[in-house]
Amino acid sequence: GESVGLHLPTLSVQEGDNSIINCAYSNSASDYFIWYKQESGKGPQFIIDIRSNMDKRQGQRVTVLLNKTVKHLSLQIAATQPGDSAVYFCAENGYNQGGKLIFGQGTELSVKP
Amino acid sequence: DGGITQSPKYLFRKEGQNVTLSCEQNLNHDAMYWYRQDPGQGLRLIYYSQIVNDFQKGDIAEGYSVSREKKESFPLTVTSAQKNPTAFYLCASAGQGHTGELFFGEGSRLTVL
């Protein structure tokens, strides 16, 4: 069945460096993708989204890249800060599934001071 | 302020007891969702409701029940039939015509002793 998965379960970066979190998806019919940030013991928070008719979208310090050819999604965080430490999930809109989101496993980002 | 509220934040129950988790939103959202999250895992959909008085099973509905009598409320009951109920439960909502972005509550952590 369809799935959304992450290449790396954990990522450790130095404060100030850029972070790249990757995600693979298998449902080529999905047309909307979201990145969420989840801090320990809290609910996920929306970071950025992208539609399938785009290949790049930028926010404040974050950029999402979408490569539909290889069904790959990435989240880039510029100048990573300690407050960025969290688990990051990608999710895809389950097209033909009532709009339900399908979540990946998550990547834990740890920022070293 | 508008938002989605889950209660209680922490809950302990003995094995064999039913427990109900509350989820209330004042965002005027039509759709509401319940997810389960286990340590180091992604979110798995339990139940969802796209309109009052209607709801559908998600991927792991066995051992759970819900109701949607009011637009603002979507309580989840974890029944004694759920074999492994200890988990972090997340409620989310989304507006009409949404393409995927969900707004999450802060979660309820259930521990069955």
Side-chain angles (χ1 to χ4, degrees), chain B residues 1-5 24-29 72 93 103-105:
Chain B
D1 288 349
I4 183 164
T5 302
E24 303 278 332
Q25 53 98 1
N26 59 4
L27 300 166
N28 199 33
H29 283 170
E72 302 80 18
S93 69
F103 294 83
F104 283 89

Side-chain angles (χ1 to χ4, degrees), chain B residues 14-69:
Chain B
K14 292 182 178 179
E15 196 171 328
Q17 289 181 328
N18 290 358
V19 60
T20 297
L21 307 180
S22 169
C23 179
E24 303 278 332
Q25 53 98 1
N26 59 4
L27 300 166
N28 199 33
H29 283 170
D30 290 306
M32 296 186 75
Y33 303 78
W34 274 106
Y35 287 88
R36 170 184 172 136
Q37 187 175 31
D38 293 288
Q41 301 294 317
L43 281 66
R44 292 186 290 168
L45 183 64
I46 305 172
Y47 267 98
Y48 65 104
S49 168
Q50 294 182 314
I51 197 169
V52 174
N53 292 323
D54 188 41
F55 49 83
Q56 288 78 40
K57 292 182 179 180
D59 301 317
I60 56 165
E62 186 176 351
Y64 300 97
S65 66
V66 293
S67 63
R68 187 82 188 279
E69 297 176 2

Side-chain angles (χ1 to χ4, degrees), chain A residues 31-32 34 36 38 41-46 49 51 87 89 93 97-106, chain B residues 9 33 35 37 40-43 45 48 50 57 59 88 90 98-107 109:
Chain A
D31 59 357
Y32 183 66
I34 305 175
Y36 282 92
Q38 186 179 24
K42 296 187 176 181
Q45 291 180 298
F46 172 90
D49 58 2
R51 296 186 183 277
V87 176
F89 292 97
N93 176 294
Q97 295 190 35
K100 295 180 294 181
L101 285 181
I102 301 171
F103 285 85
Q105 181 184 8
Chain B
K9 189 167 178 63
Y33 303 78
Y35 287 88
Q37 187 175 31
Q41 301 294 317
L43 281 66
L45 183 64
Y48 65 104
Q50 294 182 314
K57 292 182 179 180
D59 301 317
F88 190 52
L90 286 159
H98 78 283
T99 53
E101 183 185 352
L102 300 180
F103 294 83
F104 283 89
E106 290 294 279
R109 187 170 299 280

Side-chain angles (χ1 to χ4, degrees), chain B residues 78-89:
Chain B
V78 184
T79 75
S80 56
Q82 168 50 233
K83 291 181 171 32
N84 186 18
T86 295
F88 190 52
Y89 291 89

